[in-house]
DNA sequence: ATAAACTTTCAATAATTTTTGAAAACATAA
DNA sequence: TTATGTTTTCAAAAATTATTGAAAGTTTAT
């Protein structure tokens, strides 16, 4: 396969994976493009490469900055802004974990905490079933949260070394 | 909070979380409803509880069965079908991991494998940057795959015991 | 065989999400 | 200041995804 074709294939696959996991397809594609780009790119470069509008490119780039996945670069003597992706896959994973933890996991943990406190009649199966499911899900969510927390602190080699030790 | 209100809140929260992670909101809500229901429910029960149409209920229930999260029950002397959710949160996690691994991770691993094999000019930064990103992402994906694999085999207590040991 | 109870299908519709593109805002240079 | 290059905004349009509901299909009972 040619490099050009391979790049397109990667951008497509990354976009599809993103959309399957609740990340806007275009956002994932722009990220993919910047990931395999040795140079920082301008908005125009991105618009052209992915055939998207200026408005879309601008909003997507802003979102990616919000996720901590890319950053703006200014080149001396130039007025245009350039965008550059962190290429460290471990940093990327941590950044995504950090944002999803904050945006999605924490609100759910809060609600589960409230729901765990609901009182009821221990003789009512409606209550006991509810209570047990909520308690169990809460435990799982806390474990997932701890795992994310550990990822945020960990060095890659340490993290995978330890996790993979589990599977021996 | 009343139990009835708590149930609604849980169904709503579970639906929201699902939709943020690429799972149809209604599917997550039906699952939530069955999770906190001590009895198996009929399609009509579900239609009424969640105010959804018969067609939607039917398709959603079929999907949930496809994900291995609920099953049909037949009651002696009755013609209606009843639906019942596995309440074991660890089983649920494994089931979701299993399906997403199969449906999403494996296709990506396949593509990454192909892309890893692309040859090019080691002096061309376009090639070396592409190569490095793909290789790194491939490694990460393989690790995630292994983690899922381990989950599928593991007993809950063993799994979390081992994983949490990592965070001491 | 017919009817009744129940389930499945799927074209049409509705709801939601994403994208566009042109205008407005902003920044820099002349 | 004015012109020029660049970025941002956001209402409207397009695309995608989810839902409806009625007809067709299936199963069981009589």
């Amino acid at each position: 396969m040619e490099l050009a074709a391979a790049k397109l294939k990667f951008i497509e696959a990354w976009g599809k994976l993103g959309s399957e996991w609740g990340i806007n397809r275009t956002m994932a594609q722009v990220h993919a493009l910047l990931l395999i780009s040795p140079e920082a790119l301008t908005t125009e470069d991105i618009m052209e490469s992915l055939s998207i509008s200026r408005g879309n490119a601008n909003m997507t780039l802003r979102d990616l900055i919000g996720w901590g996945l890319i950053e703006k670069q200014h080149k001396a003597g130039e007025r245009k802004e350039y965008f550059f992706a962190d290429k460290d896959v471990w940093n990327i994973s941590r950044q995504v974990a950090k944002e999803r933890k904050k945006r999605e996991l924490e609100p759910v943990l809060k609600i589960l905490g409230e729901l765990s406190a609901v009182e009821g009649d221990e003789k009512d199966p409606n209550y006991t079933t509810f209570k047990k499911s909520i308690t169990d899900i809460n435990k799982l969510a806390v474990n997932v949260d701890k795992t994310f927390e550990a990822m945020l602190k960990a060095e890659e080699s340490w993290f995978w070394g330890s996790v993979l030790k589990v599977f021996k």
Side-chain angles (χ1 to χ4, degrees), chain A residues 8 11 26 29-31 33 45-52:
Chain A
L8 289 177
I11 290 168
T26 300
Q29 288 184 334
V30 170
H31 186 224
L33 175 64
D45 293 334
I46 292 162
M47 288 164 57
E48 193 179 348
S49 291
L50 302 178
S51 305
I52 62 175

Side-chain angles (χ1 to χ4, degrees), chain A residues 30-43 45-46 61 64-65 68-75 81-88 92:
Chain A
V30 170
H31 186 224
L33 175 64
L34 287 170
L35 266 184
I36 58 180
S37 181
E39 307 283 335
L41 301 180
T42 63
T43 301
D45 293 334
I46 292 162
L61 289 165
L64 281 167
I65 290 171
L69 296 175
I70 67 172
E71 45 191 65
K72 280 187 186 174
Q73 262 186 10
H74 292 279
K75 295 206 178 180
E81 290 178 327
Y82 287 76
F83 298 90
F84 187 77
D86 182 354
K87 306 289 195 296
D88 183 322
I92 295 168

